[in-house]
Amino acid sequence: MTSWTKDELTRIGNAEELQIASTRPDGTLRPYVTIWVAGAGDDLYVRSAYGSTNPWFVRAQASGTGRIRAGGIERDVVFDEPTSGAHTAVDAAYHAKYDRYGPGIVGSVVGPKVHDVTIRLLPRDS
C-alpha cells in the first residue's frame, strides 16, 4: 500500500477543509462533500460530525474508496479503520487546528462518541 509523502501530509493536514467523494459501484465518483481533516503521525483522518448516519459517511463506509482534494492535492484513497490508539492523537490534532471555532463545533468531532465514525485516509495507487 502506498503511504503519504511528508509534503502531502503537510499540505493536506494544514488545509482548512478537505473535499471527499466516495466511489460508486460503477467506479465514478459521487459529488464531493467538504469536511474537516486532521493529521496525526503519518496518517490523515476525517470524522463524521453528525454520526454514523451522515450520508457522506454511509457512502464512504459502503464504498471503501474514493478521492480527496485539499491543499492543492487530489488523490484516490482507501477509507480505512483508525490505527490502534490513534484517537487521542486525532482528538489533539482536531483541537489544535479547529478550537478557534469554539467548543460546540469542535466538540462534534472529538471524544469517544466519534471513535466509530473516524476514517483513516490511505493513499491509493490509481
Side-chain angles (χ1 to χ4, degrees), residues 11 20 119:
R11 291 170 58 186
I20 190 168
I119 293 175

Side-chain angles (χ1 to χ4, degrees), residues 3-25:
S3 59
W4 296 109
T5 67
K6 291 292 182 195
D7 181 58
E8 290 172 325
L9 284 170
T10 299
R11 291 170 58 186
I12 296 169
N14 289 340
E16 187 66 20
E17 296 175 319
L18 172 141
Q19 292 184 311
I20 190 168
S22 58
T23 307
R24 292 184 179 106

Side-chain angles (χ1 to χ4, degrees), residues 3 6 8 12 21-22 24 28 33 37 41 44 58 62 67 74 77 81 86 93 106-107 112 116 120-121:
S3 59
K6 291 292 182 195
E8 290 172 325
I12 296 169
S22 58
R24 292 184 179 106
T28 61
V33 173
V37 60
L44 296 166
V58 171
R67 186 174 294 161
E74 184 166 345
V77 294
E81 296 290 322
V106 174
D116 291 341
R120 180 168 62 136
L121 302 171

Side-chain angles (χ1 to χ4, degrees), residues 1 4-5 7 11-12 20 26 36 48 60 62 65 77 80 84-85 94-99 113 116 120 126:
M1 176 139 323
W4 296 109
T5 67
D7 181 58
R11 291 170 58 186
I12 296 169
I20 190 168
D26 68 2
W36 286 352
S48 176
T65 62
V77 294
D80 198 13
S84 176
Y94 270 97
H95 278 298
K97 190 171 178 183
Y98 297 112
D99 267 358
K113 68 185 175 306
D116 291 341
R120 180 168 62 136
S126 299

